[in-house]
Amino acid sequence: MEKVQRKQRDKEFIIDPGKKLHIIGKFLLKTDLLVRDTETHESVQLLSVNKDATKILVQGRMAEQFKLNAHIVLYKLLARYVELECEVLEEKPNNQYIMLVEHVSIASRERKFTRIKPPDGSVWITNLRTSRTTIDANLFNIPTSVKVNFADTERTLKPKFDIVKIDVFNSIGDKFDLVKKTGKILYIPNTQKPDSFKSSDPNGFIDYEHELGDEDDVRKKIIEYANQKIRSELIVPVIYINHDEQAIPIGYVHAQNKTREIDITEVMEIKTLTFDMVDRIRESNTILVKERFSVIDLSTGGLRVKINHPDLNSELPRRKGFSFDIFFKMQSPITAYGVVRSIARDTDGNLYVGLSLEGNSARPGEKKRFIDNVNRMLSDSGVKVG
């Protein structure tokens, strides 16, 4: 099993050979250990351990259960989660294997949520939505879809203003840096009136008078605008909401008039246009996969799924998270956003993705419905809930 997870479980690695032997010999010997990231929750029995706890002999449950030199993780949930990271060294008769124990670790704290394996075919996820290209605040990689949408909208606005430009943010001046940093609109209806530099809505608009400093600074800016023959100015940020639910200022709409004031109605129209641009960019930058993927186990805090898809297998290890629909059999879907906590890949190329459910659902009560379903499964299996 190849681990490609980015976020390690909080755990303590046992280094001392004596402590390793104590843990394996007292708590794991002659017991069943689960094999991590197997859809059917494969297990082995630990038969023996050598004196320095570097090798173990395990009894497999099926023929050719492991390949030579494969890296696997065996685990058992005691008071805390105990994990053995191993390499298969040798296959013995009767499906027995000698394994090199590379690491022994214990979870730093008890598992917060109780996991359960759902009955086959009872829970799955589908409609996975993630990005084709990462769009981040650094703007190192600007997708073509962004440039195309900016150009199309700019052509639409050109007849309405004396000067208009839509572009990505660069270090091009204090006004633009201010809009990018705050995510607010810079609106100066009349550059020759000091009151125009103030803002009556500090939540959505920049108070440019405050940012400039004092009255002398405002007068200097008025003179600067007069020299440039600019009567009115507007800068509206384009805020992209990515699939990780992050708000990223990727660009701006900059409009100037020389003879007339830009009306507040036009400001709101441009703000609405930026929403439309972002919707089109998201749509063209979204991978939507409608296939079903089985849920291997779940808890009230999240779930683990098995995924094998040409787009997702390469994209998901690079993503912080993604949105999807959870289906419990005979129920309507639950829309969720999952943060990727761990990813492992088996020798067949399957991904095993651990997700914690975070963020707000598109519909009220979705998280509660998910928790109720999991608690029902836990109760049906004999686990005390609540």
Side-chain angles (χ1 to χ4, degrees), residues 7 13 16 41 88 94 96 113 118 120-121 128 133 177 209 218 232 245 257 261 274 276 293 298 300 303 326 340:
K7 192 156 187 168
F13 285 90
D16 181 76
H41 281 209
V88 179
N94 301 319
Q96 294 183 358
F113 303 108
D120 291 343
L128 279 69
T133 305
D177 291 341
E209 180 188 59
V218 172
S232 190
E245 300 188 337
N257 275 342
E261 293 186 11
T274 66
D276 293 340
F293 300 101
L298 71 168
T300 54
L303 43 82
I326 306 170
V340 176

Side-chain angles (χ1 to χ4, degrees), residues 12-20 52 102-104:
E12 173 191 356
F13 285 90
I14 309 303
I15 306 299
D16 181 76
K19 290 183 179 180
K20 287 183 183 180
D52 59 3
E102 298 175 319
H103 300 289
V104 177

Side-chain angles (χ1 to χ4, degrees), residues 160-179:
K160 302 180 181 181
F161 302 94
D162 294 331
I163 301 170
V164 65
K165 182 177 180 60
I166 304 179
D167 204 350
V168 297
F169 281 110
N170 294 299
S171 296
I172 54 179
D174 57 343
K175 292 183 295 187
F176 297 92
D177 291 341
L178 192 58
V179 171

